Amino acid sequence: MSLSKHLKSIKMFETLTDQELKSIEQICKTRRVVRQTHLFYEQETLTHFYFILSGDVKIYRVDQEGREQIINYFGTHEMFPHHALFRTGQYPANAITVSDTEFITIEKGEFEEMLITQPEVMIKMVRYLGDLIVDLQKRLQQKVLSSTTQQILHLLRRLCKSHGSAIGHDRTLIRLKLTKQDLANMLGLTRETVSRNVSDFKAEGIVEEDQDGYLIINQSKIK
């Protein structure tokens, strides 16, 4: 697939014209790295942002006791970190690949210079950020208004969408090996709460685990 087609498949760029995509292409660099490669570390100067073409990336922090706290996972066609678009400072967390990954990287300074000369592209980027804010507001509402059971189900749906592979009728394998603690950290819940709910989901046929510990979701039942 050509670089322009890859860019078109990324939500941030899907409304750009062919000519506008060419402007983006000129500042893009494509890389392939193996799993367990760090892309950046927390507190490093924020210089680039990333668009995943294939693979999976984990965003995490390490607390004062040395424990890893997973913040999020990003998969194919997703962009991170979002605040790099119009902010300066430091990376807010660490980013590491959890599988062999191909991605596009854009240097912040070059992107900003391009926007100055292409105001139409800047307007489209602002609209994209507006849609992103609305999505984050919806997730916050889910967090505030939903029960813990609903929060976990919402998370499993999102993971199926961004990191899932269909393995049969109505069944999706989440390609990330997630522990109950990982899920708990991503939602701000206790491990015990997540473990209890996942056990209930298994009894209802919503969730199962394969022999390697990967989660399989029954799409018809989770709905």
Side-chain angles (χ1 to χ4, degrees):
M1 184 184 294
S2 66
L3 182 55
S4 61
K5 288 184 178 180
H6 276 307
L7 290 172
K8 198 74 173 178
S9 68
I10 296 169
K11 187 172 181 61
M12 179 174 162
F13 301 129
E14 64 184 5
T15 62
L16 299 188
T17 66
D18 291 343
Q19 189 61 42
E20 290 167 345
L21 285 172
K22 288 182 180 178
S23 298
I24 301 293
E25 282 186 61
Q26 292 175 4
I27 58 174
C28 287
K29 292 181 174 62
T30 304
R31 289 182 58 195
R32 294 175 183 267
V33 297
V34 298
R35 65 184 299 271
Q36 298 298 303
T37 298
H38 271 95
L39 304 181
F40 54 78
Y41 290 92
E42 184 177 6
Q43 303 303 316
E44 286 184 342
T45 301
L46 196 159
T47 58
H48 293 76
F49 44 97
Y50 302 78
F51 305 87
I52 301 174
L53 301 179
S54 63
D56 303 284
V57 174
K58 176 173 68 176
I59 308 298
Y60 73 98
R61 291 194 183 103
V62 177
D63 65 18
Q64 293 181 345
E65 284 73 39
R67 294 172 299 193
E68 180 182 288
Q69 297 180 331
I70 295 174
I71 299 172
N72 206 348
Y73 283 94
F74 291 102
T76 302
H77 300 158
E78 291 190 301
M79 174 265 186
F80 66 96
H82 289 94
H83 73 284
L85 286 171
F86 294 106
R87 293 188 61 185
T88 58
Q90 300 170 323
Y91 289 109
N94 309 294
I96 188 172
T97 59
V98 294
S99 62
D100 293 349
T101 301
E102 182 179 13
F103 59 88
I104 293 169
T105 180
I106 298 179
E107 199 272 327
K108 262 182 63 63
E110 292 183 347
F111 184 72
E112 290 168 357
E113 289 177 7
M114 184 275 297
L115 290 180
I116 291 172
T117 62
Q118 305 248 5
E120 298 86 357
V121 177
M122 181 181 290
I123 291 172
K124 291 177 181 179
M125 295 300 97
V126 170
R127 288 173 180 163
Y128 166 75
L129 286 177
D131 291 340
L132 182 64
I133 290 171
V134 170
D135 180 63
L136 292 174
Q137 287 176 331
K138 289 180 180 179
R139 293 193 187 191
L140 180 59
Q141 288 177 336
Q142 290 176 355
K143 175 70 177 175
V144 173
L145 301 177
S146 299
S147 66
T148 54
T149 297
Q150 291 171 323
Q151 290 179 45
I152 298 168
L153 289 174
H154 285 313
L155 175 60
L156 292 176
R157 287 193 191 99
R158 291 198 300 270
L159 291 171
C160 283
K161 183 176 180 180
S162 58
H163 304 277
S165 297
I167 58 172
H169 181 65
D170 283 341
R171 296 168 74 239
T172 300
L173 171 74
I174 297 176
R175 300 187 306 272
L176 307 170
K177 185 171 285 189
L178 299 167
T179 67
K180 308 301 186 300
Q181 188 63 60
D182 292 338
L183 296 172
N185 288 343
M186 295 171 73
L187 291 168
L189 301 174
T190 65
R191 183 190 181 283
E192 290 74 20
T193 296
V194 170
S195 182
R196 182 173 62 252
N197 276 273
V198 170
S199 294
D200 291 341
F201 297 157
K202 288 180 178 179
E204 297 172 28
I206 296 173
V207 174
E208 60 183 284
E209 288 186 53
D210 68 9
Q211 60 183 6
D212 296 316
Y214 289 90
L215 295 178
I216 299 171
I217 310 301
N218 187 309
Q219 294 287 2
S220 60
K221 292 189 176 181
I222 200 173
K223 292 177 183 178

